[in-house]
Amino acid sequence: MDPNAPQTPADDAVPTGAEVRPKGTDAPADHAEPTGADMPLDDAAPTIDEPTGIEPPGGETPVTDTPPSSTDAPPQEPDWRPDRLGEGYEFTDLPLDGGAHATLVAHRGQRAEDGPAAGRTVLYVHGWSDYFFQRPLAEYWAQQGAAFYAVDLRGHGRSLDLDDPEARPGYIEDLADYDAEIEAALAIIAAEHPRTRPILAGHSTGGLTLALWVHRNPGRAAALVLTSPWLEFQFDAATRRLITPWLKWRSRRSESVPIRVRFPDHYARSVLLSRGNLPYELDLKPPSSFPIYPAWISAVFAGHEAVEKGLSITIPILVQMSTTSVREKDYSSAMSAADIVLDVDVLARRAPSLGTTVVIERIPGAMHDVVLSDSPVRKSAFARITRFLNGYLQR
C-alpha cells in the first residue's frame, strides 16, 4: 500500500461497536498515548539521571508580521501531488537526514478574505499514533482566512513505510528531533507566504512538541492553538518521576523491544458512536496503537518535566480540552462525550506553565480529539478559537 497515493476518502461507515483491528495486530486497543497502567514496574532499576533534551529558555520577541531572517539555503522546490483526502488537498515529501522523511499536506481550497486569520498561515501537528485527516479543521481555518498546512511526522500516517518490516512507527528518542520536519515545513510555507508568522496548532503529543519548539524558538510563531495537549502524565508528576528511572534502564537494556501494553478499542468505538463512521484509515491510525518503546516514553516524560519547570512562551496560547475524563475498563456510551485518553484536570492544572498568556477553554462533551466530537461540540470549539483569534492576534 502506498500511503501517499490518492484514495477514496476514509469516511466509509464501520458498523458501530465492531472490533476494528488492522492487519498484524493481535490485541484491540485505542490509538491513544499510553496510560502506563500495565507497565511492568517490578524490575529493580538503578536511578539514572535523565537529560531533558530541552534547550535553555530564551526571551520571546514581540509578535510582528515579519519573521526573523534566515541564512539557510533555500529549500528544494516541493513536488506537490494530489492527496488522499481528495479535491482541494495536496501533499509533498519532506526529506530528512538519515533517509527518514515526513510529509506536508496543504489545503488548497478557497479562503475567506476578511476572517480573523486572513493573510496568515497555520501549521498543524498531530498526536502520537495519529496523522492528519480532519477535513473540518482545515476548512475551519480556511473560513478564518488562513492558509492551512499539516505535517505527518516521520513514522506516522503518510510518512509510514507500511512495507518495511524494520520500521518502528512513531519511534523517537527526543521530541526535539521533530524540529527537522517542523523546520522543513515552515521553510516551504514561508516560500509560499513570505513575511508572515505562522499560527501553530497541535493535538495531544503534537501540542507538547510544538510548545517545546516555540520555547526553543522565540519570536517565530504568532500564536499557539492546542487541543488536549499531552502536558503531563495521566496520573500525576510524582508517578512520572517514579517511572522515569525504570524507563531509562529498560531502554538501555533493550531499546528495540517494545513494552507489552494492551489497550482496549474504546477510542475507536467512541468515534464510531459520535460520528457513525471512522474518518481515518486503520493502516495509518491503528486502534491498537503503535508499539510502545521505552525510549519514546522517556522522550515524552522529558517534555513533561520541562513544562513542569515552566516554559518561557510569551505569544498567546489557547488550550482546549474536555470538561470530563472517563477511565473505565468496559466500554460505555459516555466515552463519546469525554476524554478517555488523558486526565483533563491534570492538563488544566499544567497549562499555565506554558507561558505568560494562556487561555484555557473547557468544552463540555468534547472527546480527546475535539474535532472528532459531535457536530455541536465541534462548532463550539471552533467558535472559541475564533474568539481567541479576535482577541489576541495582532492585525
Side-chain angles (χ1 to χ4, degrees):
M1 171 182 174
D2 180 1
N4 289 332
Q7 298 186 7
T8 301
D11 286 335
D12 295 333
V14 179
T16 302
E19 188 176 90
V20 281
R21 304 185 191 178
K23 294 179 289 186
T25 61
D26 56 10
D30 95 35
H31 79 294
E33 287 84 352
T35 64
D38 295 320
M39 292 180 186
L41 298 177
D42 53 348
D43 289 315
T47 300
I48 302 173
D49 293 334
E50 56 161 338
T52 65
I54 308 302
E55 297 181 11
E60 195 78 44
T61 58
V63 174
T64 66
D65 283 336
T66 304
S69 60
S70 172
T71 57
D72 295 339
Q76 181 179 354
E77 189 71 20
D79 178 21
W80 291 109
R81 287 159 282 171
D83 185 65
R84 64 197 314 110
L85 290 178
E87 184 178 356
Y89 294 89
E90 295 180 328
F91 81 94
T92 188
D93 293 326
L94 301 175
L96 306 173
D97 291 342
H101 82 281
T103 309
L104 183 64
V105 181
H107 176 258
R108 301 302 193 187
Q110 186 174 1
R111 304 194 303 270
E113 297 181 357
D114 57 353
R120 296 188 179 274
T121 59
V122 173
L123 177 62
Y124 172 81
V125 177
H126 58 79
W128 181 77
S129 192
D130 202 356
Y131 72 106
F132 171 67
F133 58 87
Q134 299 91 334
R135 294 182 185 86
L137 182 64
E139 293 164 3
Y140 162 77
W141 281 108
Q143 292 165 5
Q144 308 312 304
F148 179 88
Y149 299 82
V151 62
D152 278 9
L153 301 170
R154 70 187 76 180
H156 291 79
R158 298 164 180 80
S159 308
L160 271 172
D161 185 350
L162 298 171
D163 297 322
D164 182 5
E166 302 297 322
R168 291 187 285 181
Y171 183 86
I172 203 79
E173 296 181 358
D174 188 335
L175 294 181
D177 291 345
Y178 288 134
D179 286 9
E181 41 259 72
I182 294 173
E183 294 288 355
L186 290 177
I188 292 175
I189 295 171
E192 295 190 352
H193 304 272
R195 296 183 299 280
T196 183
R197 295 176 188 267
I199 299 169
L200 299 180
H203 167 61
S204 199
T205 313
L208 173 64
T209 300
L210 284 179
L212 298 172
W213 185 88
V214 172
H215 171 73
R216 294 190 302 268
N217 293 272
R220 295 186 59 193
L224 265 177
V225 178
L226 309 178
T227 57
S228 310
W230 196 15
L231 304 179
E232 183 53 272
F233 189 44
Q234 289 88 309
F235 297 105
D236 54 37
T239 305
R240 165 173 53 81
R241 288 190 288 268
L242 178 66
I243 295 174
T244 295
W246 177 85
L247 287 174
K248 286 290 185 181
W249 171 79
R250 171 68 165 73
S251 181
R252 287 185 174 185
R253 189 180 71 171
S254 52
E255 67 174 12
S256 62
V257 179
I259 301 171
R260 288 180 294 179
V261 182
R262 299 172 67 89
F263 297 108
D265 63 354
H266 296 342
Y267 194 85
R269 291 190 179 191
S270 63
V271 173
L272 283 170
L273 180 62
S274 175
R275 299 178 57 91
N277 61 74
L278 284 179
Y280 51 84
E281 300 173 47
L282 295 178
D283 282 342
L284 304 186
K285 182 182 172 68
S288 57
S289 87
F290 291 158
I292 310 296
Y293 293 94
W296 170 77
I297 303 177
S298 295
V300 173
F301 278 11
H304 291 167
E305 180 181 356
V307 176
E308 181 186 17
K309 291 178 179 178
L311 305 186
S312 58
I313 300 173
T314 59
I315 60 173
I317 305 170
L318 174 64
V319 181
Q320 292 191 325
M321 68 195 76
S322 182
T323 56
T324 306
S325 289
V326 172
R327 187 176 296 159
E328 298 175 356
K329 180 178 180 180
D330 297 324
Y331 176 78
S332 72
S333 60
M335 294 180 176
S336 65
D339 192 322
I340 64 173
V341 178
L342 302 179
D343 187 322
V344 292
D345 292 332
V346 170
L347 300 186
R349 289 194 296 269
R350 183 63 74 219
S353 299
L354 292 172
T356 57
T357 305
V358 182
V359 179
I360 300 173
E361 290 274 14
R362 306 290 296 269
I363 304 172
M367 300 178 64
H368 177 60
D369 188 341
V370 178
V371 179
L372 297 183
S373 305
D374 284 343
S375 179
V377 177
R378 184 169 63 249
K379 290 179 180 178
S380 174
F382 287 160
R384 294 165 189 241
I385 297 176
T386 301
R387 182 171 63 190
F388 170 80
L389 297 175
N390 283 323
Y392 287 94
L393 240 64
Q394 297 180 10
R395 301 292 298 179

